Amino acid sequence: MKYWISINTYLWKNIFNRWLESPLAPLSKVILCFLLSLLSFIVIGLLKNAEEVLEEQFNKREVLTSVVAIQDMSRQDQIVKLDKSLYREALFQKISPDSELNYFRRAGIAVRDSQGKHYPTVVCFSEPTFWQEEWGEFERPKVYFFCDDTDAPLGDMEIRDFKFQPKRLPKVPLLSTLTKGKGVILVPYPLGRMLLESGFAEMVVFRFNDIETMKSTHKKLEAYCATENLNYSVFSALPLLKQLEMFSKMQTYVRSGLALLIIIITAIVLGNQSLLEFREQQYQFALLRSFGSPLPLIMLAELVEKVLLSFLGVWLAYMSLESVTMIVRGFGADFAMVDIKVGAEDVRLILMGVFSGVLSSWCLLVMIARKPVGLILS
Amino acid sequence: MKIELNKVSFRYPGMGDDLFHRFDFSAKPGITLLKGYSGCGKSTLLRLIAGYLKPWEGELLTSSPHRVGSNRYLMEEVGFVFQQMNLLPLASLNRNIKLSGVNSDAGRGIELMKLFGLEQIANHRPCDLSGGQIQRGAIARALAKGPSIVLLDEPTSGLDDLNTTIISNALTDLLPESSVCLIATHDQRLHDIADEILDFNKYLPLEEHLQSLA
C-alpha cells in the first residue's frame, strides 16, 4: 500500500511539475473545455428559454382546445337531423373519453332584446363544465346571456313571442370562439329543442389533456365526418403544436449535436496535446514500469489529471454563465436580454460529453503507452 | 535462481532478420559478463530476461514463481541498470531507491548509499548529480530490493577507475550467492569480478556484424 502511495505521489509530483514548467498546457485544457461548455450552455439555455416562452404562449391561448363546426347538408327533416346530432354527441364522447367535450347547437332563430338587437342563440345539451369553476353549478332551467358589457341595463328578451329575462354573465373565452358578436344567449335543453327544430349548426369544443390524444381524436373525427358526408371545419392549434413538437425535437438534436461536437473537439485537441506531453514523459513512465509499476496506475493518473482540468473548465463555464450574459448584455446583444437557465441535466450532458472526449483521447494514449518497455528504454 | 532460454527468436519491429534465431542460453548464479560488438544482442538479451521485450518464438524459463515480465517479477526479482537515464528525474536519490520496488528496504538503502559514497547526496535530485554518482545510485537502487536477477547494461561506460572499482567491489560483496548477475559490457576492468565471460561474437561473427552495420 505504502508503495502504491509512493508511486502515486511521484506521478502527481510529476504532473504538478509539468504544470509549473509549462502552465499554458493545463491552462489551454481548462480554457478549451470552458469555451466549449460556455458555448453549449448559451445555446442550450437560449433554446430552452425560447421553448418555455412558446409553451407559455400556447398555454395562455388554450392551445389544447379544438373547435369543430359541423353542418349536416342532407335534405332530411330537421327533427331527424337533430336526432342524428344527439347520437353524434354521444359518439364523440366515446371517441375521446379523456377529453372534456362541450357540444353546442346554434339555432337558426336569433333572440331579440327590448331595443330590437339580435343575438345568436346557442343550445347546450351536454353538461356545460367550462364555467362551473367560475360560477358553480349550472342552473339548467335558466337562460343565460353572455355579454362583454355586463353593466348595460338588461331588459326583457324574446324568441318569437316568448318573453324572458336571462341571467347575465361575462362572456367566457370559449363562447367568444364560437360567436363573434357582443353577446350570446345560452339556452339549455329541453327549452332550446323547439328552437333547433327550425334549423341549426353544430359546434363541438374539445379540451384535450395532451397533444397525442388531440392528434388521434382529430384523425377519428375527420374519418367520421368523411364517412357521414358531413360538412365540417376544424379550428385548432394543432399545426402550431406540431411545430412546437418539432422545435422540441430540434432542441434534442441540437443538444446531441453539441455533446458530439464537444466529444470530437475535446478528443482531437486534448488527444493531440496529450500525445505531445506523453512523448516527453514516455521515458520516465517506462522507467517506472521497469521497476514493476503497473501501466494502469500510471495511465490512471494521466486520466484523472485530464478529467480534473476539463471538469474545472465546465465548472468555470457554469459559474461564469451569468457574468458572461451580463457582459454580453452590456454590449446590447439582443439574445442576452433573456435569462439563460441551465438545468442539471444540461450540465450532466456537457460533463458527459467532455468526459467522453477526454476518455477517447486517453484511450489513444493507452494504445501508445502499451509499447514494450524494452523498445522505449533502448 | 536459474534462467533458461529455449529456442528463443526475437527481432525488433521493422527489422528484416531475427536478432536471435532459436537461441538457447542458460545463466548460472554468479556474475556473467556478456561481451561482443555493438548490436550483437547483449542488451537485447538482458531486456528479454527482464521481460521488457517478448520473444516471438521460444520460451524463457526462470525459477521465480512469478511470470517473466509481470509486475511482481519486476518488483521482486529483477534489478536492472540501464546505460543512461536510470533515475527518476523528480525524485531524490533516496526516493528513487524507495520507488524501485515493494521490497526496497530503507535500512539496506542507507547502507548501500554509504557503501557507494552517496549518503551526503541522498536527498539530491539526479539533475544535481554527476554521471558517476547517477550510475552508482542506479546500481544501489537495483540492489536495494535484494533481487535474484541483476541485469546491468554497460554500468561502467564513461566512468573513471575509482567509480568502476566502487561498483565492482559492491557487486562482489553484495550479491547473494544464489542470484544471477548478467553484465553487458565492453569494459575490461570488470573481467576480474566475472565468474564467467560469454563472448557474444560467436553468435554474430565479425563479417556478419560488419554486414549488418553496413
Side-chain angles (χ1 to χ4, degrees), chain A residues 280-346:
Chain A
E280 283 175 22
Q281 306 291 318
Q282 199 170 220
Y283 198 93
Q284 202 180 168
F285 290 156
L287 204 58
L288 276 167
R289 284 169 66 197
S290 76
F291 309 151
S293 304
L295 180 65
L297 191 75
I298 299 167
M299 294 316 292
L300 190 69
E302 288 291 297
L303 176 69
V304 174
E305 180 216 353
K306 276 153 197 69
V307 169
L308 279 179
L309 291 176
S310 48
F311 278 20
L312 177 69
V314 178
W315 180 75
L316 284 175
Y318 181 70
M319 295 308 282
S320 61
L321 190 60
E322 205 173 319
S323 319
V324 170
T325 320
M326 295 277 275
I327 293 166
V328 178
R329 204 174 286 175
F331 287 108
D334 289 342
F335 75 86
M337 290 305 155
V338 288
D339 286 330
I340 297 172
K341 289 176 208 154
V342 180
E345 66 193 58
D346 301 318

Side-chain angles (χ1 to χ4, degrees), chain B:
Chain B
M1 176 55 72
K2 236 175 115 179
I3 301 167
E4 236 180 78
L5 276 76
N6 291 334
K7 309 257 178 293
V8 164
S9 299
F10 176 80
R11 90 167 69 99
Y12 282 101
M15 210 175 175
D17 299 322
D18 285 351
L19 186 60
F20 295 116
H21 183 71
R22 302 181 75 76
F23 179 69
D24 292 318
F25 175 82
S26 67
K28 288 176 235 150
I31 299 173
T32 305
L33 291 195
L34 305 174
K35 295 181 71 78
Y37 307 116
S38 298
C40 67
K42 302 185 299 287
S43 302
T44 306
L45 178 66
L46 298 187
R47 283 167 172 74
L48 280 168
I49 292 169
Y52 299 158
L53 294 172
K54 283 192 173 68
W56 68 266
E57 190 185 45
E59 55 180 0
L60 203 151
L61 302 167
T62 68
S63 50
S64 162
H66 308 297
R67 188 174 49 82
V68 174
S70 67
N71 293 328
R72 282 271 151 209
Y73 175 77
L74 293 172
M75 270 182 210
E76 291 174 15
E77 310 285 6
V78 178
F80 202 109
V81 175
F82 297 96
Q83 207 167 338
Q84 53 188 349
M85 291 175 77
N86 270 295
L87 300 180
L88 293 165
L90 295 173
S92 65
L93 210 51
N94 198 16
R95 194 109 197 110
N96 258 288
I97 289 172
K98 282 181 184 162
L99 285 170
S100 66
V102 275
N103 286 344
S104 286
D105 181 350
R108 189 175 159 85
I110 294 164
E111 193 190 311
L112 279 166
M113 276 198 278
K114 266 186 197 164
L115 192 77
F116 282 101
L118 300 167
E119 72 271 31
Q120 300 293 324
I121 47 166
N123 293 321
H124 287 216
R125 282 190 184 187
C127 56
D128 302 326
L129 305 176
S130 70
Q133 286 168 329
I134 289 175
Q135 209 61 356
R136 275 185 278 151
I139 295 169
R141 188 188 62 192
L143 298 174
K145 58 185 172 185
S148 49
I149 303 168
V150 180
L151 305 165
L152 310 172
D153 190 6
E154 305 280 3
T156 56
S157 70
L159 293 189
D160 58 21
D161 289 345
L162 180 65
N163 276 311
T164 309
T165 311
I166 295 170
I167 290 168
S168 306
N169 291 343
L171 286 173
T172 22
D173 296 345
L174 295 171
L175 276 176
E177 277 187 15
S178 61
S179 64
V180 172
C181 176
L182 294 175
I183 308 172
T185 185
H186 294 109
D187 198 340
Q188 304 280 338
R189 294 172 292 181
L190 294 175
H191 280 211
D192 297 341
I193 60 161
D195 296 314
E196 195 184 349
I197 298 174
L198 191 70
D199 188 4
F200 248 60
N201 290 335
K202 67 178 177 187
Y203 302 113
L204 187 71
L206 182 62
E207 298 78 41
E208 270 186 49
H209 177 66
L210 292 172
Q211 213 174 7
S212 67
L213 287 177

Side-chain angles (χ1 to χ4, degrees), chain A residues 62-276:
Chain A
E62 300 193 339
V63 74
L64 290 172
T65 302
S66 295
V67 179
V68 185
I70 300 168
Q71 245 187 326
D72 190 346
M73 302 299 278
S74 63
R75 288 183 181 179
Q76 287 167 320
D77 187 66
Q78 288 301 331
I79 296 170
V80 178
K81 281 184 185 177
L82 185 58
D83 287 342
K84 277 171 78 179
S85 172
L86 289 169
Y87 167 75
R88 252 196 306 277
E89 184 176 350
L91 186 80
F92 285 175
Q93 198 79 61
K94 278 183 186 166
I95 283 177
S96 185
D98 296 331
S99 58
E100 188 186 312
L101 186 141
N102 285 293
Y103 214 105
F104 300 98
R105 289 169 188 85
R106 186 174 166 170
I109 301 164
V111 170
R112 203 176 60 225
D113 68 4
S114 53
Q115 283 146 12
K117 268 189 189 172
H118 286 84
Y119 298 99
T121 314
V122 168
V123 181
C124 175
F125 280 81
S126 59
E127 192 67 26
T129 52
F130 60 94
W131 61 73
Q132 274 180 6
E133 285 168 18
E134 283 175 72
W135 299 300
E137 196 59 37
F138 182 64
E139 293 169 39
R140 271 177 178 268
K142 283 195 177 170
V143 174
Y144 289 83
F145 176 49
F146 291 94
C147 64
D148 296 328
D149 188 7
T150 46
D151 295 330
L154 183 67
D156 282 347
M157 289 193 164
E158 62 174 89
I159 308 173
R160 289 185 186 151
D161 295 328
F162 177 69
K163 285 197 179 175
F164 61 94
Q165 194 154 29
K167 188 176 178 183
R168 190 162 54 185
L169 295 170
K171 206 171 176 184
V172 289
L174 187 64
L175 287 175
S176 303
T177 57
L178 298 176
T179 52
K180 301 266 186 233
K182 276 191 174 180
V184 59
I185 294 288
L186 194 82
V187 184
Y189 182 82
L191 204 66
R193 188 179 166 96
M194 61 170 192
L195 302 175
L196 298 177
E197 282 172 0
S198 52
F200 66 94
E202 295 171 54
M203 279 164 288
V204 198
V205 181
F206 288 92
R207 272 183 175 182
F208 301 98
N209 295 322
D210 55 84
I211 189 168
E212 287 310 313
T213 323
M214 189 173 184
K215 274 188 208 169
S216 66
T217 309
H218 270 224
K219 271 188 190 169
K220 285 175 193 168
L221 281 175
E222 280 166 17
Y224 170 79
C225 291
T227 317
E228 291 292 314
N229 255 334
L230 293 170
N231 247 3
Y232 72 97
S233 355
V234 182
F235 307 96
S236 80
L238 194 61
L240 287 172
L241 278 174
K242 280 180 182 167
Q243 275 182 1
L244 183 72
E245 238 183 8
M246 219 169 72
F247 192 81
S248 287
K249 272 184 194 162
M250 196 181 78
Q251 215 194 116
T252 314
Y253 295 143
V254 169
R255 279 184 194 181
S256 315
L258 278 173
L260 196 70
L261 190 80
I262 289 172
I263 293 170
I264 293 168
I265 295 178
T266 316
I268 292 173
V269 178
L270 285 191
N272 187 41
Q273 206 180 352
S274 308
L275 202 65
L276 292 172

